[in-house]
mmCIF file of all heavy atoms in Angstrom:
data_model
loop_
_atom_site.group_PDB
_atom_site.id
_atom_site.type_symbol
_atom_site.label_atom_id
_atom_site.label_comp_id
_atom_site.label_asym_id
_atom_site.label_seq_id
_atom_site.Cartn_x
_atom_site.Cartn_y
_atom_site.Cartn_z
ATOM 1 N N SER A 168 -18.975 5.400 -4.144
ATOM 2 C CA SER A 168 -20.186 5.233 -4.971
ATOM 3 C C SER A 168 -21.419 5.043 -4.174
ATOM 4 O O SER A 168 -22.509 5.552 -4.498
ATOM 5 C CB SER A 168 -20.088 4.060 -6.004
ATOM 6 O OG SER A 168 -19.909 2.871 -5.326
ATOM 7 N N THR A 169 -21.334 4.475 -2.979
ATOM 8 C CA THR A 169 -22.463 4.355 -2.090
ATOM 9 C C THR A 169 -22.843 5.746 -1.575
ATOM 10 O O THR A 169 -24.068 6.046 -1.511
ATOM 11 C CB THR A 169 -22.135 3.403 -0.908
ATOM 12 O OG1 THR A 169 -21.803 2.056 -1.406
ATOM 13 C CG2 THR A 169 -23.223 3.367 0.095
ATOM 14 N N ARG A 170 -21.857 6.506 -1.159
ATOM 15 C CA ARG A 170 -22.062 7.902 -0.758
ATOM 16 C C ARG A 170 -22.840 8.717 -1.760
ATOM 17 O O ARG A 170 -23.806 9.363 -1.497
ATOM 18 C CB ARG A 170 -20.757 8.535 -0.321
ATOM 19 C CG ARG A 170 -20.943 9.998 0.053
ATOM 20 C CD ARG A 170 -19.469 10.579 0.208
ATOM 21 N NE ARG A 170 -19.566 11.940 0.710
ATOM 22 C CZ ARG A 170 -19.640 13.060 -0.032
ATOM 23 N NH1 ARG A 170 -19.583 12.886 -1.385
ATOM 24 N NH2 ARG A 170 -19.697 14.297 0.502
ATOM 25 N N ALA A 171 -22.319 8.624 -3.022
ATOM 26 C CA ALA A 171 -22.969 9.406 -4.089
ATOM 27 C C ALA A 171 -24.352 8.858 -4.434
ATOM 28 O O ALA A 171 -25.298 9.737 -4.593
ATOM 29 C CB ALA A 171 -22.066 9.278 -5.348
ATOM 30 N N ARG A 172 -24.561 7.570 -4.507
ATOM 31 C CA ARG A 172 -25.853 6.983 -4.812
ATOM 32 C C ARG A 172 -26.937 7.442 -3.792
ATOM 33 O O ARG A 172 -28.047 7.750 -4.197
ATOM 34 C CB ARG A 172 -25.736 5.493 -4.907
ATOM 35 C CG ARG A 172 -27.018 4.828 -5.364
ATOM 36 C CD ARG A 172 -26.937 3.307 -5.524
ATOM 37 N NE ARG A 172 -26.588 2.674 -4.240
ATOM 38 C CZ ARG A 172 -25.404 2.092 -3.980
ATOM 39 N NH1 ARG A 172 -24.401 2.103 -4.787
ATOM 40 N NH2 ARG A 172 -25.223 1.535 -2.747
ATOM 41 N N ALA A 173 -26.558 7.460 -2.546
ATOM 42 C CA ALA A 173 -27.473 7.760 -1.464
ATOM 43 C C ALA A 173 -27.603 9.300 -1.226
ATOM 44 O O ALA A 173 -28.487 9.727 -0.517
ATOM 45 C CB ALA A 173 -27.057 7.085 -0.138
ATOM 46 N N GLY A 174 -26.640 10.020 -1.816
ATOM 47 C CA GLY A 174 -26.658 11.462 -1.593
ATOM 48 C C GLY A 174 -26.387 11.764 -0.120
ATOM 49 O O GLY A 174 -26.874 12.747 0.514
ATOM 50 N N ALA A 175 -25.525 10.940 0.450
ATOM 51 C CA ALA A 175 -25.222 11.032 1.935
ATOM 52 C C ALA A 175 -23.855 11.810 2.169
ATOM 53 O O ALA A 175 -23.092 11.965 1.229
ATOM 54 C CB ALA A 175 -25.153 9.604 2.483
ATOM 55 N N ALA A 176 -23.720 12.118 3.399
ATOM 56 C CA ALA A 176 -22.604 12.825 3.785
ATOM 57 C C ALA A 176 -21.323 11.929 3.805
ATOM 58 O O ALA A 176 -20.185 12.454 3.773
ATOM 59 C CB ALA A 176 -22.725 13.473 5.207
ATOM 60 N N GLU A 177 -21.562 10.656 3.909
ATOM 61 C CA GLU A 177 -20.398 9.632 4.049
ATOM 62 C C GLU A 177 -20.921 8.381 3.440
ATOM 63 O O GLU A 177 -22.068 8.062 3.384
ATOM 64 C CB GLU A 177 -19.960 9.482 5.473
ATOM 65 C CG GLU A 177 -21.007 8.890 6.417
ATOM 66 C CD GLU A 177 -20.443 8.739 7.790
ATOM 67 O OE1 GLU A 177 -19.477 9.364 8.243
ATOM 68 O OE2 GLU A 177 -21.079 7.960 8.544
ATOM 69 N N GLY A 178 -19.868 7.564 3.072
ATOM 70 C CA GLY A 178 -20.097 6.192 2.575
ATOM 71 C C GLY A 178 -18.955 5.405 3.074
ATOM 72 O O GLY A 178 -17.875 5.918 3.444
ATOM 73 N N ALA A 179 -19.235 4.112 3.371
ATOM 74 C CA ALA A 179 -18.190 3.290 3.936
ATOM 75 C C ALA A 179 -18.236 1.894 3.253
ATOM 76 O O ALA A 179 -19.325 1.459 2.690
ATOM 77 C CB ALA A 179 -18.344 3.118 5.473
ATOM 78 N N ALA A 180 -17.119 1.190 3.402
ATOM 79 C CA ALA A 180 -17.085 -0.249 2.875
ATOM 80 C C ALA A 180 -16.020 -0.915 3.767
ATOM 81 O O ALA A 180 -15.079 -0.314 4.241
ATOM 82 C CB ALA A 180 -16.692 -0.292 1.472
ATOM 83 N N VAL A 181 -16.280 -2.186 4.036
ATOM 84 C CA VAL A 181 -15.399 -3.008 4.801
ATOM 85 C C VAL A 181 -15.135 -4.335 4.081
ATOM 86 O O VAL A 181 -15.964 -4.709 3.271
ATOM 87 C CB VAL A 181 -15.874 -3.334 6.234
ATOM 88 C CG1 VAL A 181 -16.053 -2.099 7.037
ATOM 89 C CG2 VAL A 181 -17.148 -4.148 6.286
ATOM 90 N N ARG A 182 -13.940 -4.959 4.222
ATOM 91 C CA ARG A 182 -13.600 -6.212 3.715
ATOM 92 C C ARG A 182 -13.383 -7.159 4.824
ATOM 93 O O ARG A 182 -12.535 -6.861 5.735
ATOM 94 C CB ARG A 182 -12.366 -6.081 2.800
ATOM 95 C CG ARG A 182 -11.983 -7.342 2.089
ATOM 96 C CD ARG A 182 -10.787 -7.136 1.108
ATOM 97 N NE ARG A 182 -9.604 -6.740 1.708
ATOM 98 C CZ ARG A 182 -9.023 -5.493 1.621
ATOM 99 N NH1 ARG A 182 -9.544 -4.632 0.933
ATOM 100 N NH2 ARG A 182 -8.016 -5.290 2.294
ATOM 101 N N ASP A 183 -14.070 -8.349 4.857
ATOM 102 C CA ASP A 183 -13.827 -9.287 5.910
ATOM 103 C C ASP A 183 -12.707 -10.252 5.605
ATOM 104 O O ASP A 183 -12.002 -10.091 4.617
ATOM 105 C CB ASP A 183 -15.137 -10.025 6.211
ATOM 106 C CG ASP A 183 -15.558 -11.046 5.129
ATOM 107 O OD1 ASP A 183 -14.741 -11.391 4.282
ATOM 108 O OD2 ASP A 183 -16.691 -11.487 5.222
ATOM 109 N N GLU A 184 -12.477 -11.133 6.518
ATOM 110 C CA GLU A 184 -11.380 -12.046 6.422
ATOM 111 C C GLU A 184 -11.397 -13.006 5.322
ATOM 112 O O GLU A 184 -10.423 -13.635 4.928
ATOM 113 C CB GLU A 184 -11.222 -12.846 7.787
ATOM 114 C CG GLU A 184 -12.187 -13.978 8.008
ATOM 115 C CD GLU A 184 -13.618 -13.584 8.470
ATOM 116 O OE1 GLU A 184 -13.893 -12.341 8.586
ATOM 117 O OE2 GLU A 184 -14.470 -14.436 8.686
ATOM 118 N N THR A 185 -12.575 -13.139 4.630
ATOM 119 C CA THR A 185 -12.666 -14.024 3.483
ATOM 120 C C THR A 185 -12.625 -13.247 2.185
ATOM 121 O O THR A 185 -12.688 -13.861 1.149
ATOM 122 C CB THR A 185 -13.953 -14.901 3.533
ATOM 123 O OG1 THR A 185 -15.114 -14.025 3.381
ATOM 124 C CG2 THR A 185 -14.076 -15.642 4.801
ATOM 125 N N GLY A 186 -12.490 -11.892 2.293
ATOM 126 C CA GLY A 186 -12.459 -11.087 1.092
ATOM 127 C C GLY A 186 -13.767 -10.538 0.638
ATOM 128 O O GLY A 186 -13.853 -9.768 -0.310
ATOM 129 N N ARG A 187 -14.843 -10.879 1.339
ATOM 130 C CA ARG A 187 -16.156 -10.293 0.991
ATOM 131 C C ARG A 187 -16.227 -8.823 1.410
ATOM 132 O O ARG A 187 -15.606 -8.455 2.389
ATOM 133 C CB ARG A 187 -17.270 -11.040 1.696
ATOM 134 C CG ARG A 187 -17.488 -12.467 1.160
ATOM 135 C CD ARG A 187 -18.560 -13.189 1.935
ATOM 136 N NE ARG A 187 -18.070 -13.282 3.353
ATOM 137 C CZ ARG A 187 -18.757 -13.942 4.220
ATOM 138 N NH1 ARG A 187 -19.884 -14.590 4.017
ATOM 139 N NH2 ARG A 187 -18.259 -14.084 5.505
ATOM 140 N N THR A 188 -16.899 -8.082 0.592
ATOM 141 C CA THR A 188 -17.022 -6.620 0.923
ATOM 142 C C THR A 188 -18.423 -6.247 1.208
ATOM 143 O O THR A 188 -19.374 -6.854 0.632
ATOM 144 C CB THR A 188 -16.451 -5.767 -0.289
ATOM 145 O OG1 THR A 188 -17.214 -6.079 -1.474
ATOM 146 C CG2 THR A 188 -14.966 -6.010 -0.447
ATOM 147 N N TYR A 189 -18.575 -5.222 1.970
ATOM 148 C CA TYR A 189 -19.936 -4.733 2.378
ATOM 149 C C TYR A 189 -19.795 -3.176 2.319
ATOM 150 O O TYR A 189 -18.926 -2.667 3.025
ATOM 151 C CB TYR A 189 -20.227 -5.164 3.811
ATOM 152 C CG TYR A 189 -20.097 -6.663 3.946
ATOM 153 C CD1 TYR A 189 -18.895 -7.224 4.399
ATOM 154 C CD2 TYR A 189 -21.199 -7.473 3.806
ATOM 155 C CE1 TYR A 189 -18.750 -8.535 4.510
ATOM 156 C CE2 TYR A 189 -21.016 -8.837 3.940
ATOM 157 C CZ TYR A 189 -19.846 -9.354 4.370
ATOM 158 O OH TYR A 189 -19.621 -10.753 4.449
ATOM 159 N N ALA A 190 -20.697 -2.627 1.559
ATOM 160 C CA ALA A 190 -20.748 -1.111 1.451
ATOM 161 C C ALA A 190 -22.103 -0.555 2.060
ATOM 162 O O ALA A 190 -23.099 -1.256 1.855
ATOM 163 C CB ALA A 190 -20.530 -0.681 -0.006
ATOM 164 N N ALA A 191 -21.961 0.573 2.610
ATOM 165 C CA ALA A 191 -23.191 1.205 3.263
ATOM 166 C C ALA A 191 -23.065 2.614 3.403
ATOM 167 O O ALA A 191 -22.007 3.245 3.336
ATOM 168 C CB ALA A 191 -23.312 0.576 4.644
ATOM 169 N N GLY A 192 -24.252 3.240 3.568
ATOM 170 C CA GLY A 192 -24.323 4.663 3.952
ATOM 171 C C GLY A 192 -24.851 4.778 5.240
ATOM 172 O O GLY A 192 -25.233 3.821 5.983
ATOM 173 N N PRO A 193 -24.977 6.029 5.843
ATOM 174 C CA PRO A 193 -25.421 6.198 7.185
ATOM 175 C C PRO A 193 -26.995 5.975 7.331
ATOM 176 O O PRO A 193 -27.681 6.025 6.295
ATOM 177 C CB PRO A 193 -25.114 7.664 7.485
ATOM 178 C CG PRO A 193 -25.025 8.300 6.142
ATOM 179 C CD PRO A 193 -24.602 7.219 5.202
ATOM 180 N N VAL A 194 -27.376 5.725 8.518
ATOM 181 C CA VAL A 194 -28.847 5.637 8.798
ATOM 182 C C VAL A 194 -29.145 6.759 9.707
ATOM 183 O O VAL A 194 -28.500 6.922 10.742
ATOM 184 C CB VAL A 194 -29.200 4.165 9.458
ATOM 185 C CG1 VAL A 194 -30.586 4.196 9.917
ATOM 186 C CG2 VAL A 194 -28.827 3.086 8.522
ATOM 187 N N ASP A 195 -30.197 7.516 9.242
ATOM 188 C CA ASP A 195 -30.588 8.677 10.106
ATOM 189 C C ASP A 195 -32.115 8.665 10.263
ATOM 190 O O ASP A 195 -32.811 9.324 9.516
ATOM 191 C CB ASP A 195 -30.073 9.952 9.495
ATOM 192 C CG ASP A 195 -30.411 11.174 10.449
ATOM 193 O OD1 ASP A 195 -30.805 10.944 11.613
ATOM 194 O OD2 ASP A 195 -30.077 12.324 10.028
ATOM 195 N N LEU A 196 -32.574 7.827 11.191
ATOM 196 C CA LEU A 196 -34.069 7.719 11.478
ATOM 197 C C LEU A 196 -34.274 8.329 12.903
ATOM 198 O O LEU A 196 -33.355 8.416 13.668
ATOM 199 C CB LEU A 196 -34.495 6.262 11.486
ATOM 200 C CG LEU A 196 -34.278 5.517 10.114
ATOM 201 C CD1 LEU A 196 -34.551 4.018 10.376
ATOM 202 C CD2 LEU A 196 -35.183 6.081 9.054
ATOM 203 N N PRO A 197 -35.533 8.627 13.153
ATOM 204 C CA PRO A 197 -35.777 9.204 14.531
ATOM 205 C C PRO A 197 -35.379 8.234 15.628
ATOM 206 O O PRO A 197 -34.877 8.622 16.662
ATOM 207 C CB PRO A 197 -37.337 9.390 14.462
ATOM 208 C CG PRO A 197 -37.662 9.596 13.051
ATOM 209 C CD PRO A 197 -36.645 8.758 12.312
ATOM 210 N N SER A 198 -35.460 6.934 15.376
ATOM 211 C CA SER A 198 -35.198 5.984 16.471
ATOM 212 C C SER A 198 -33.792 5.246 16.272
ATOM 213 O O SER A 198 -33.459 4.454 17.033
ATOM 214 C CB SER A 198 -36.241 4.974 16.621
ATOM 215 O OG SER A 198 -36.307 4.150 15.381
ATOM 216 N N LEU A 199 -33.108 5.594 15.194
ATOM 217 C CA LEU A 199 -31.895 4.825 14.914
ATOM 218 C C LEU A 199 -30.943 5.717 14.112
ATOM 219 O O LEU A 199 -31.258 6.121 13.052
ATOM 220 C CB LEU A 199 -32.160 3.533 14.108
ATOM 221 C CG LEU A 199 -30.948 2.652 13.732
ATOM 222 C CD1 LEU A 199 -30.349 2.125 15.019
ATOM 223 C CD2 LEU A 199 -31.414 1.507 12.772
ATOM 224 N N LYS A 200 -29.797 5.989 14.668
ATOM 225 C CA LYS A 200 -28.769 6.784 13.974
ATOM 226 C C LYS A 200 -27.478 6.003 13.934
ATOM 227 O O LYS A 200 -26.943 5.667 15.003
ATOM 228 C CB LYS A 200 -28.536 8.135 14.633
ATOM 229 C CG LYS A 200 -29.777 9.007 14.539
ATOM 230 C CD LYS A 200 -29.589 10.429 14.966
ATOM 231 C CE LYS A 200 -30.753 11.326 14.985
ATOM 232 N NZ LYS A 200 -31.723 11.218 13.935
ATOM 233 N N LEU A 201 -26.913 5.648 12.778
ATOM 234 C CA LEU A 201 -25.821 4.923 12.620
ATOM 235 C C LEU A 201 -24.842 5.568 11.542
ATOM 236 O O LEU A 201 -25.304 6.027 10.530
ATOM 237 C CB LEU A 201 -26.022 3.480 12.192
ATOM 238 C CG LEU A 201 -26.879 2.590 13.081
ATOM 239 C CD1 LEU A 201 -27.292 1.352 12.380
ATOM 240 C CD2 LEU A 201 -26.171 2.290 14.322
ATOM 241 N N THR A 202 -23.582 5.572 11.797
ATOM 242 C CA THR A 202 -22.598 6.034 10.766
ATOM 243 C C THR A 202 -22.564 4.981 9.666
ATOM 244 O O THR A 202 -22.911 3.805 9.836
ATOM 245 C CB THR A 202 -21.205 6.267 11.364
ATOM 246 O OG1 THR A 202 -20.660 5.003 11.738
ATOM 247 C CG2 THR A 202 -21.255 7.218 12.547
ATOM 248 N N ALA A 203 -21.913 5.414 8.527
ATOM 249 C CA ALA A 203 -21.808 4.443 7.438
ATOM 250 C C ALA A 203 -20.886 3.303 7.814
ATOM 251 O O ALA A 203 -21.148 2.157 7.558
ATOM 252 C CB ALA A 203 -21.280 5.175 6.246
ATOM 253 N N LEU A 204 -19.863 3.626 8.626
ATOM 254 C CA LEU A 204 -18.953 2.546 9.107
ATOM 255 C C LEU A 204 -19.732 1.590 9.964
ATOM 256 O O LEU A 204 -19.537 0.363 9.813
ATOM 257 C CB LEU A 204 -17.738 3.016 9.812
ATOM 258 C CG LEU A 204 -16.580 3.445 8.951
ATOM 259 C CD1 LEU A 204 -15.456 4.090 9.722
ATOM 260 C CD2 LEU A 204 -15.987 2.210 8.246
#
Side-chain angles (χ1 to χ4, degrees):
S168 62
T169 299
R170 177 185 183 270
R172 184 177 62 251
E177 63 182 16
V181 299
R182 184 175 62 249
D183 73 11
E184 76 279 5
T185 68
R187 291 178 295 186
T188 57
Y189 308 87
V194 173
D195 189 4
L196 299 171
S198 65
L199 181 63
K200 295 194 185 316
L201 300 170
T202 68
L204 274 172

